[in-house]
């Protein structure tokens, strides 16, 4: 069979898995009957499974499938990174557009190789901070990052671009006869129900773009040097039995495989392979002029060298620094000692979180942040575009966790999609009929902006919109003076806090421009202190 066949198969496999990923993302909207189907990709991460379990001190059952992936990696090596990972697929696609400075001799990049051990430090930092109750794993995990980046930025940009194009074509005679049916097709199958606009899309896109641009340094730099899930798979791949084998009789040491390897896994003039870095892309098979390389099932090197052929000693090479060393462990441990207090010292919890409203069903704030993996699936599935990624409003530890912004969208009373799709139980599962039991905020009136209070003109929008069975917004009739100093009878709205669930529809529909005249804040406790 032609050696390039496997490279083409891998490219086709990547495209197929990318389509699956995009399909799951696009169709994560009402109805969501099988939430485990839609959040499949994030639950594949064994890194997230470990970090959530450590942060909560409880086994994350929803990540059971990640153990299956890990077991497969132990047998077949880091194929997941090369075939399935949507972040890896995106990096491979973007790599083609990046221009790098090539070395004159095309020799193996020793500096890039030395940086490979950084991913183990990132993994250690991620797990130790999770153990200390600071869950940053979701920010750096490739599967969580991929879903968040696609949902909050790329899909939102695509949605907006398509609408702009076809809404412009609507005013072009004759063209609109064709464009309108096409636009309807897009709206039915690809676009969101609403115009999705995410409040903090720029920081999300900046992180995503930074990961892509790191490849300017070296191909797949993120995957080789920083990815914590890649570190997990690299450790597991040391035991893999599906390995690259080179026939020394056929190999002419042309280094074409070494130069083309996107993971810098090939060294020693193409003769040897770092199995923990090999992602089974089969590019080396494609470029080998003598067909000296092949992938076969064989025993791991440590078994060959220590059991099957104990007389053979392993020659030290320039690549052994990619292993987990005591120095790497110490670096990760010391960095964690710095990051834990750095992330925990958070004044914004006291002064800047008054308007941070979490989705319904969210746990206690600290418990919620420990379980939330920042995947943005709840934001994507929200039918009213109410949920948005936070940035630094609750400090670094709350970065990219979901928050509800009522002025942009409200929490629909007959909806529990965010609770259903959450893969980590950061949002408690509940039935639609129990929605009023989950209080996410408390509304109050800004009397200087409210039309009845400030202008003595009746306005009943907020009361009409209030969805609770017993209206949380009511009126009292009073005699007041309008701007003409005329005595008028006006209905003044007020909030019964015990009935308010904080859904935000009153703020969303308030006709006052800019900030609404009625605002929703974090819910109050019995003592009147917000839950932060």
């Amino acid at each position: 069979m032609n050696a390039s066949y496997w490279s083409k198969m891998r490219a086709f496999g990547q495209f197929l898995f990318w389509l699956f990923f995009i399909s799951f993302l696009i169709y994560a909207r009402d109805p969501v009957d099988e939430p485990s189907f839609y959040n499949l990709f994030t639950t594949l991460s064994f890194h997230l499974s470990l970090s959530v379990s450590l942060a909560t001190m409880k086994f994350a059952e929803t990540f059971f499938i990640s153990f299956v992936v890990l077991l497969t990696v132990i047998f077949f090596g880091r194929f997941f990174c090369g075939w399935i990972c949507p972040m890896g697929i995106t990096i491979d696609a973007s790599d083609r557009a990046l221009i790098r400075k090539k070395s004159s001799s095309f020799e193996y990049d020793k500096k890039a190789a030395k940086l490979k051990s950084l991913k183990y430090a990132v993994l250690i930092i991620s797990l130790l901070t999770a153990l200390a109750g600071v869950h940053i794993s979701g920010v750096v995990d490739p599967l969580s990052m991929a879903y968040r980046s696609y949902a909050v930025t790329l899909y939102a940009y695509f949605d907006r671009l398509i609408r702009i194009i076809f809404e412009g074509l609507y005013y072009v005679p004759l063209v609109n006869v064709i464009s309108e049916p096409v636009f309807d097709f897009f709206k039915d199958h690809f676009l969101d129900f609403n115009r999705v606009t995410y409040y903090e899309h720029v920081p999300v896109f900046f992180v995503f773009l930074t990961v892509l641009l790191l490849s300017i340094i070296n191909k797949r730099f993120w995957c080789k040097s920083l990815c914590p899930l890649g570190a997990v798979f690299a450790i597991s791949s040391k035991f893999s039995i599906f390995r690259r084998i080179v026939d020394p009789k056929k190999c002419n040491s042309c280094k074409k495989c070494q130069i083309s390897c996107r993971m810098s896994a090939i060294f020693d003039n193409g003769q040897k392979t770092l199995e923990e870095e090999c992602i089974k892309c089969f590019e080396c098979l494609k470029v080998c002029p003598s067909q000296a390389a092949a992938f076969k099932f064989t025993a791991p090197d440590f078994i060959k060298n220590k059991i099957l052929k104990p007389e053979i000693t392993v020659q030290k090479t320039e690549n052994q620094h990619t292993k987990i060393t005591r120095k790497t462990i110490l670096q990760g441990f010391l960095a964690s000692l710095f990051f834990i207090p750095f992330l925990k010292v958070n004044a914004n919890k006291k002064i800047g979180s008054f308007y941070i409203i979490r989705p319904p069903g969210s746990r206690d704030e600290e418990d919620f942040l420990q379980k939330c993996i920042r995947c943005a699936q709840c934001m994507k599935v929200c039918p009213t575009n109410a949920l948005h990624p936070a940035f630094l409003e609750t400090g670094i530890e709350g970065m990219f966790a979901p928050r509800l912004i009522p002025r942009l969208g409200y929490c629909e009373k007959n909806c529990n999609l965010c609770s259903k799709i959450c893969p980590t139980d950061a949002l408690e599962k509940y039935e639609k009929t129990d929605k009023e039991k989950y209080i996410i905020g408390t509304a109050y009136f800004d009397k200087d902006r409210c039309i009845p209070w400030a202008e003595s003109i009746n306005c009943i929008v907020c009361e009409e919109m209030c969805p609770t069975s017993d209206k949380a917004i009511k009126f009292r009739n009073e005699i007041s003076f309008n701007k003409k100093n005329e005595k008028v009878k006006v209905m003044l709205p007020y909030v019964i806090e015990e009935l308010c669930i904080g859904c935000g529809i009153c703020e969303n529909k308030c006709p006052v421009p800019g900030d609404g005249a009625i605002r929703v804040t974090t819910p109050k406790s019995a003592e009147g202190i917000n839950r932060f």
Side-chain angles (χ1 to χ4, degrees):
M1 187 177 292
N2 194 318
S4 64
Y5 169 83
W6 292 108
S7 179
K8 292 177 181 178
M9 280 295 296
R10 181 251 182 182
F12 176 74
Q14 277 193 315
F15 179 68
L16 194 62
F17 281 115
W18 183 82
L19 284 182
F20 286 156
F21 172 73
I22 293 298
S23 299
F24 293 163
L25 186 145
I26 290 176
Y27 293 107
R29 57 185 185 180
D30 196 17
V32 178
D33 297 322
E34 294 293 337
S36 58
F37 175 76
Y38 292 98
N39 61 30
L40 173 66
F41 272 88
T42 51
T43 56
L44 295 176
S45 173
F46 191 75
H47 165 242
L48 287 178
S49 175
L50 281 176
S51 59
V52 171
S53 299
L54 288 173
T56 60
M57 299 306 294
K58 182 181 178 182
F59 174 66
E61 297 178 359
T62 52
F63 287 87
F64 177 78
I65 192 172
S66 68
F67 286 87
V68 178
V69 174
L70 184 69
L71 185 62
T72 310
V73 169
I74 290 175
F75 280 97
F76 295 100
R78 284 180 66 177
F79 79 97
F80 184 92
C81 303
W83 288 67
I84 300 175
C85 178
M87 199 69 210
I89 295 170
T90 306
I91 290 174
D92 274 346
S94 66
D95 270 1
R96 298 177 181 275
L98 297 177
I99 300 175
R100 301 177 187 83
K101 183 179 179 181
K102 297 181 180 180
S103 60
S104 57
S105 60
F106 294 98
E107 285 294 332
Y108 179 78
D109 191 341
K110 295 181 181 180
K111 291 183 179 179
K114 290 180 180 179
L115 294 175
K116 288 181 181 180
S117 60
L118 284 178
K119 63 178 173 286
Y120 300 116
V122 174
L123 174 63
I124 292 170
I125 294 170
S126 174
L127 298 182
L128 288 181
T129 52
L131 187 61
V134 184
H135 197 185
I136 63 170
S137 305
V139 177
V140 296
D141 185 87
L143 299 186
S144 177
M145 183 191 299
Y147 198 101
R148 179 177 66 246
S149 301
Y150 270 85
V152 174
T153 63
L154 300 186
Y155 176 74
Y157 300 161
F158 168 79
D159 183 274
R160 181 56 59 93
L161 178 63
I162 294 297
R163 292 179 188 275
I164 290 174
I165 292 173
F166 282 97
E167 287 171 2
L169 293 177
Y170 175 78
Y171 297 99
V172 181
L174 299 180
V175 174
N176 56 17
V177 177
I178 301 174
S179 66
E180 281 305 289
V182 175
F183 189 31
D184 289 338
F185 177 79
F186 270 95
K187 287 189 290 186
D188 291 340
H189 296 89
F190 300 111
L191 304 185
D192 205 273
F193 296 134
N194 301 298
R195 293 173 179 266
V196 286
T197 303
Y198 291 101
Y199 187 67
E200 293 290 2
H201 65 95
V202 174
V204 174
F205 185 70
F206 177 79
V207 172
F208 176 66
L209 186 62
T210 300
V211 169
L212 298 184
L213 292 180
L214 283 173
S215 293
I216 293 176
I217 302 172
N218 202 256
K219 286 186 292 186
R220 272 206 176 214
F221 183 85
W222 163 264
C223 307
K224 284 188 288 194
S225 304
L226 297 173
C227 179
L229 181 59
V232 174
F233 289 155
I235 296 170
S236 307
S237 294
K238 292 178 180 294
F239 306 96
S240 69
I241 59 175
F242 186 62
R243 294 172 167 253
R244 179 176 178 267
I245 306 297
V246 177
D247 186 345
K249 295 180 181 179
K250 292 183 179 180
C251 181
N252 58 13
S253 300
C254 66
K255 297 185 182 180
K256 288 185 177 181
C257 57
Q258 185 170 320
I259 295 169
S260 66
C261 182
R262 65 193 74 220
M263 291 295 290
S264 301
I266 301 174
F267 64 104
D268 197 12
N269 296 330
Q271 297 279 339
K272 297 179 181 179
T273 309
L274 287 171
E275 284 299 328
E276 63 267 27
E277 301 297 332
C278 179
I279 59 173
K280 307 300 184 285
C281 67
F282 304 129
E283 194 69 21
C284 54
L285 302 183
K286 179 181 177 181
V287 300
C288 182
S290 58
Q291 297 186 1
F295 283 82
K296 298 179 180 179
F297 288 98
T298 183
D301 290 340
F302 72 92
I303 294 179
K304 287 181 178 180
N305 297 330
K306 295 183 179 181
I307 300 176
L308 300 181
K309 298 179 180 180
E311 72 281 0
I312 297 179
T313 58
V314 181
Q315 181 182 1
K316 291 187 177 181
T317 70
E318 61 187 22
N319 297 278
Q320 283 198 338
H321 53 248
T322 61
K323 294 182 178 181
I324 304 178
T325 63
R326 283 177 290 183
K327 182 180 178 180
T328 302
I329 295 174
L330 181 61
Q331 288 173 339
F333 179 75
L334 292 177
S336 300
L337 291 180
F338 167 76
F339 275 113
I340 291 170
F342 173 74
L343 298 173
K344 275 294 187 181
V345 175
N346 186 4
N348 282 348
K349 276 192 173 182
K350 294 293 183 182
I351 64 175
S353 56
F354 190 54
Y355 292 107
I356 302 300
I357 304 167
R358 298 303 185 191
S362 59
R363 308 288 182 173
D364 173 81
E365 180 69 5
E366 187 169 347
D367 189 25
F368 171 76
L369 290 179
Q370 289 176 356
K371 291 181 178 180
C372 176
I373 59 172
R374 281 70 165 170
C375 62
Q377 292 187 87
C378 57
M379 305 173 205
K380 172 60 184 69
V381 80
C382 180
T384 61
N385 196 210
L387 297 179
H388 302 259
F391 186 40
L392 300 177
E393 296 89 341
T394 57
I396 298 176
E397 66 173 328
M399 189 166 65
F400 299 152
R403 58 173 295 197
L404 188 144
I405 304 180
R407 205 59 172 155
L408 298 177
Y410 60 91
C411 186
E412 172 60 52
K413 182 182 177 182
N414 296 315
C415 173
N416 62 349
L417 295 180
C418 59
S419 166
K420 291 175 67 175
I421 205 169
C422 178
T424 64
D425 201 32
L427 303 180
E428 182 181 345
K429 303 294 187 291
Y430 63 89
E431 298 298 326
K432 294 179 183 179
T433 53
D434 297 328
K435 188 68 174 279
E436 288 192 25
K437 295 179 182 179
Y438 293 88
I439 300 172
I440 60 175
T442 304
Y444 76 96
F445 282 97
D446 182 348
K447 295 181 180 179
D448 291 332
R449 292 177 57 78
C450 180
I451 294 174
W453 284 98
E455 302 179 27
S456 298
I457 299 174
N458 286 327
C459 174
I460 62 172
V461 173
C462 55
E463 190 272 345
E464 282 186 325
M465 293 292 105
C466 184
T468 55
S469 51
D470 186 4
K471 297 280 187 179
I473 299 176
K474 298 186 183 297
F475 296 103
R476 64 171 178 262
N477 295 318
E478 289 192 8
I479 302 298
S480 182
F481 292 90
N482 61 20
K483 291 183 177 181
K484 297 180 181 180
N485 204 30
E486 299 171 339
K487 185 182 289 187
V488 293
K489 185 177 181 180
V490 62
M491 296 187 300
L492 299 178
Y494 63 96
V495 177
I496 301 177
E497 293 183 357
E498 293 77 10
L499 300 177
C500 181
I501 61 175
C503 68
I505 191 171
C506 53
E507 181 177 344
N508 183 262
K509 302 300 181 182
C510 178
V512 175
D515 291 336
I518 184 170
R519 303 291 301 275
V520 179
T521 66
T522 54
K524 296 179 180 179
S525 67
E527 293 78 19
I529 306 297
N530 68 55
R531 64 173 173 156
F532 289 87

